[in-house]
């Protein structure tokens, strides 16, 4: 323990460190204590022992040190009722938790409470006794799992986690008090003040922060002096002189109660009244201060106090000291004697001029500081400390090897590991709500980003541009065909089907746009159905054209009149019939179980995917399957017709376009199924665009080429020549 050497300087702050929790663990005892062991003044056995360090006595008798024999144990004097109260507050919390079925169920709590007698040396001894378990030499050793928690140590220095990594407290740091005091002094317009502080970490650190803030606020310190109650009288005398000679009438006292007590005793001799005192929580709210201040030196003092608090039943518990007496403990007997100013028979001191204690004395008539509950805010801090320890132990004991959270170290030593993604640090890692995700520092849950294919992002913009480009290209082709509608090449293979095909291609290109943007109820229903119907319309037209090629060949054979069976009316009807089937499928899908917008929280862990749920998967695959069926049929017919001598190799180009179409949609399925989030939508749009371009380019571009660049081939003669 590297800071142990510095402990004595810390003085009063240290006396207030008090809570230590430790566990019994069967381990080989390595070290042996040389010297006397420290025995707790109050103790009770339990599965888990909480330690407490108090000053049940305020002083001790100086013994002559001869250095010829081992020093005797400290002989403590002046019983201090206040710390008895605080110990009772701790007991109350321990019993309450011990009784509780929610917190640490099935675990009995014990305690060990030590008396420091306000001796710094003894404080260090008992603190180490608790930390190291040196009082149990032959018993199983105690794992070094100590966490000091203070209910009263306010020194800002203790917030330094590099020096005091395990220190905790249930009272705010002086960092706030010092600055608030400076603001208070400034508020009353006191810009010329004197300052006195305890010459320890409490006073020195507190005053340093006060001074810094005061300077910023334009407050001047006439003097700033430090002393400790154990200082020689001439040092305190010097301070009195400084106060007497000063011109400032406001004194800021960053003092512990004990130091103030010593100072007041001196000041009252000099009748130094008429000063405005500004005090710290160390003394300002303690009712003992006004008892001690017989000469009214401190009248009108102001300062900051600990917020008022009420812990139900605690007062009754503290005052219920009957149980205390019955335990037969030496110190408790002494306490009882002091409380009722009597003596127990067995006690080995002179009982002549004192009445005998019965053990049934009544507390109700009593008038002393044990009855005074003005320190309830501090009791509350004690209460909170015990609960803090209990809660920590509760979560810790609910944990098993999987949490230990360091191999080879005692089970209670663990590093804070980074929580997994989607979890944040609390006492344990806590999972964020489904719509939330942890930030990088794992300290808060942030709302997940919504993901969908939007027009703004590059992929969405490119797909939109391709779709518009395809639409324009179709329009241009349609314009060329319309302009040259009288020429043989346009008239050759049923120009009506060609225009219908161009129209449906335009719709195919446009329907890809419904896939882009934030999914809404309408866009979800439109998406697949519009796509399904326009594609079936498209393929039906191509199918019609293929049939025309096949029929035309048969018709050209002698004695055939097939053309009668597949004239323009039949062609129109077949296109209509094929499309109607898809319309029926879509209507069924939309009425039975339509697609709907869906927030997918599962697929990506850190994003919400806004997508269209299919509603009915059967519907989706029926629509796709029907397109596939027609396309395959069309492909087979075109394949059969590819070698037939027709005008301008129509069947060959249709075969080729169907080949592209089928290839695109066969690759689409695995890509669609395996793409995450918005990419599956992009894949679908890509398939729509690719197959549409395939049809447009294979079927129409060669014809446009002849129309525009090789007009000499576009003659009836040429066609008849074939
Ligand atoms: C805690 O409860 C156990 C029984 O559950 C009891 O034996 C023990 O005395 C209690 N401890 C305290 C401090 O009240
Ligand atoms: C704990 O339980 C015991 C027995 O039921 C009871 O006497 C005692 O008052 C309880 N203590 C507290 C602090 O609630
Ligand atoms: C202190 O002041 C009181 C009244 O203010 C006066 O009666 C008393 O004599 C003074 N004592 C000294 C030592 O000045
Ligand atoms: C009690 O006091 C007497 C003398 O007053 C002394 O002889 C005796 O040893 C003392 N007993 C104890 C237990 O301290
Ligand atoms: C450890 O504790 C967790 C949560 O309490 C539990 O799910 C797990 O089964 C435990 N593992 C072992 C080895 O006890």
């Amino acid at each position: 323990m590297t800071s142990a050497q510095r402990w004595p300087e810390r003085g009063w702050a240290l006396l207030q460190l008090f809570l230590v929790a430790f566990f019994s663990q069967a381990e080989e005892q390595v070290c042996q204590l040389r010297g006397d062991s420290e025995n707790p003044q109050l103790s009770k056995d339990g599965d888990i022992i909480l330690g407490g360090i108090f000053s049940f006595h305020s002083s001790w008798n100086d013994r002559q040190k001869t250095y010829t024999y081992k020093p005797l144990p400290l002989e403590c004097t002046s019983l201090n009722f206040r710390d008895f109260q605080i110990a009772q507050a701790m007991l109350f919390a321990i019993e309450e938790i011990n009784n509780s079925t929610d917190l640490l169920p099935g675990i009995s709590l014990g305690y060990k409470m030590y008396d420091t007698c306000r001796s710094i040396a003894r404080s260090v001894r008992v603190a180490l006794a608790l930390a190291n378990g040196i009082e149990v030499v032959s018993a199983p050793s105690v794992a070094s799992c100590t966490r000091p928690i203070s209910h009263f140590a306010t020194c800002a220095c203790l917030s330094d986690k590099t020096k005091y990594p395990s220190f905790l407290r249930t009272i705010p740091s002086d960092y706030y008090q010092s600055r608030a005091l400076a603001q208070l002094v400034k508020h009353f317009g006191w810009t010329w003040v004197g300052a006195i502080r305890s010459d320890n970490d409490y006073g020195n650190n507190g005053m340093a922060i006060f001074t810094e803030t005061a300077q910023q606020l334009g407050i001047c310190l006439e003097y700033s002096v430090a002393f400790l109650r154990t200082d020689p009288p001439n040092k305190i005398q010097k301070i009195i002189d400084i106060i007497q000679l000063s011109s400032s009438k406001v004194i800021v006292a960053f003092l512990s109660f004990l130091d103030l007590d010593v100072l007041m005793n001196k000041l009252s001799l000099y009748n130094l009244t008429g000063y405005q005192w500004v005090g710290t929580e160390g003394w300002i709210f303690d009712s003992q201060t006004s008892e001690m201040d017989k000469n009214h030196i401190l009248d009108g003092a102001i300062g900051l106090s600990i917020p008022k608090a009420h812990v139900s039943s605690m007062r009754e518990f503290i005052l219920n000291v009957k149980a205390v007496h019955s335990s037969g403990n030496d110190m408790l007997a002494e306490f009882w004697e002091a409380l009722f100013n009597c003596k127990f028979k067995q006690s080995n001191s002179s009982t002549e001029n004192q009445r005998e204690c019965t053990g049934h004395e009544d507390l109700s008539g009593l008038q002393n500081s044990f009855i005074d509950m003005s320190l309830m805010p501090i009791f509350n801090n004690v209460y909170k400390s015990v609960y803090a320890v209990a809660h920590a132990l509760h979560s810790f004991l609910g944990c098993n090897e999987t949490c230990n959270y360091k191999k080879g170290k005692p089970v209670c030593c663990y590093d804070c590991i980074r929580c997994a993604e989607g979890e944040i640090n609390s006492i344990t890692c806590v999972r964020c709500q489904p719509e939330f995700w942890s930030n990088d520092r794992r300290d808060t849950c942030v709302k997940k980003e919504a993901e969908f294919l939007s027009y703004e992002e590059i992929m969405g913009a490119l797909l939109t541009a391709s779709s518009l480009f395809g639409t324009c290209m179709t329009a241009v082709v349609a314009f060329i065909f319309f302009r040259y509608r009288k020429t043989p090449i346009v008239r050759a293979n049923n120009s009506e089907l060609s225009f219908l095909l161009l129209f449906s291609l335009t719709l195919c290109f446009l329907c890809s746009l419904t896939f882009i943007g934030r999914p809404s109820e309408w866009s979800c229903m439109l998406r697949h159905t519009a796509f399904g119907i326009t594609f079936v319309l498209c393929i039906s037209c191509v199918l019609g054209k293929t049939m025309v090629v096949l029929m035309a060949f048969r018709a050209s054979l002698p004695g055939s009149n097939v053309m009668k069976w597949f004239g323009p009316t039949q062609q129109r009807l077949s296109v209509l019939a094929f499309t109607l089937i898809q319309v029926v499928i879509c209507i069924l899908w939309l009425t039975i179980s339509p697609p709907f917008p869906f927030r997918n929280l599962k697929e990506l862990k850190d994003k919400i995917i806004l997508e269209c749920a299919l509603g009915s998967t059967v519907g989706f695959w029926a629509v796709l399957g029907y397109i596939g069926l027609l396309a395959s049929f069309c492909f087979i017919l075109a394949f059969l017709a590819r070698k037939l001598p027709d005008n301008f190799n129509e069947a060959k180009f249709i075969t080729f376009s169907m080949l592209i179409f089928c290839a695109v949609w066969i690759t689409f399925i695995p890509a669609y199924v395996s793409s995450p989030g918005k990419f599956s939508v992009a894949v679908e749009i890509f398939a729509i665009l690719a197959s549409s371009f395939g049809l447009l380019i294979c079927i129409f571009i060669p014809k446009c080429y002849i129309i525009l660049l090789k007009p000499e081939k576009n003659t009836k003669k040429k066609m008849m020549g074939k």
Side-chain angles (χ1 to χ4, degrees), residues 44-45 91 94-96 98-99 107-111:
K44 182 161 193 170
D45 225 12
L91 261 183
I94 290 178
E95 262 197 30
E96 206 174 74
N98 197 33
N99 282 358
I107 291 171
S108 69
L109 294 181
Y111 52 85

Side-chain angles (χ1 to χ4, degrees), residues 462-654:
L462 279 180
L463 290 171
T464 308
S466 318
S467 149
L468 294 179
F469 175 70
T471 312
C472 295
M473 202 166 143
T474 318
V476 169
V477 170
F479 175 75
I480 294 170
F481 265 55
F482 186 73
R483 177 91 208 286
Y484 294 92
R485 65 190 178 280
K486 298 265 166 54
T487 59
I489 196 166
V490 178
R491 291 162 62 104
N493 285 312
N494 192 342
S495 58
E496 197 179 271
L497 276 186
S498 298
F499 282 112
L500 195 56
L501 180 56
L502 284 171
F503 172 69
S504 62
L505 277 179
T506 313
L507 291 183
C508 288
F509 280 120
L510 289 179
C511 86
S512 65
L513 295 181
T514 63
F515 287 81
I516 306 175
R518 181 183 281 265
S520 69
E521 215 162 294
W522 278 104
S523 75
C524 279
M525 297 216 284
L526 203 61
R527 271 181 193 187
H528 293 112
T529 50
F531 149 75
I533 293 170
T534 54
F535 263 68
V536 165
L537 185 64
C538 211
I539 304 287
S540 318
C541 294
V542 179
L543 192 60
K545 277 176 152 308
T546 320
M547 306 266 268
V548 169
V549 172
L550 273 177
M551 297 301 167
F553 175 70
R554 299 222 172 258
S556 64
L557 295 178
S560 166
N561 60 352
V562 238
M563 215 48 195
K564 253 194 232 153
W565 298 106
F566 202 67
T569 320
Q570 285 85 349
Q571 291 168 21
R572 272 177 228 143
L573 279 178
S574 66
V575 169
L576 192 68
F578 283 137
T579 313
L580 265 182
I581 293 176
Q582 182 76 314
V583 170
V584 170
I585 296 177
C586 286
I587 287 175
L588 284 178
W589 183 12
L590 289 188
T591 45
I592 294 172
S593 174
F596 56 91
F598 176 67
R599 301 161 73 78
N600 186 339
L601 303 171
K602 297 240 172 74
E603 190 162 333
L604 293 184
K605 43 203 171 98
D606 54 346
K607 283 182 180 153
I608 301 177
I609 303 170
L610 302 185
E611 61 183 18
C612 288
L614 293 176
S616 156
T617 340
V618 177
F620 176 70
W621 291 111
V623 165
L624 275 194
Y626 183 61
I627 297 176
L629 191 75
L630 279 190
S632 328
F633 186 46
C634 187
F635 176 63
I636 292 167
L637 287 191
F639 187 77
L640 293 178
R642 78 191 186 285
K643 290 267 171 64
L644 296 183
D646 82 283
N647 326 303
F648 312 110
N649 300 324
E650 179 83 337
K652 238 180 236 162
F653 285 125
I654 290 179

Side-chain angles (χ1 to χ4, degrees), residues 398-403:
C399 159
N400 49 33
E401 316 81 75
T402 49
C403 331

Side-chain angles (χ1 to χ4, degrees), residues 354-367:
Q354 268 183 320
R355 64 194 172 85
E356 197 176 301
C357 296
T358 61
H360 299 289
E361 280 79 5
D362 187 11
L363 212 67
S364 56
L366 219 54
Q367 282 297 328

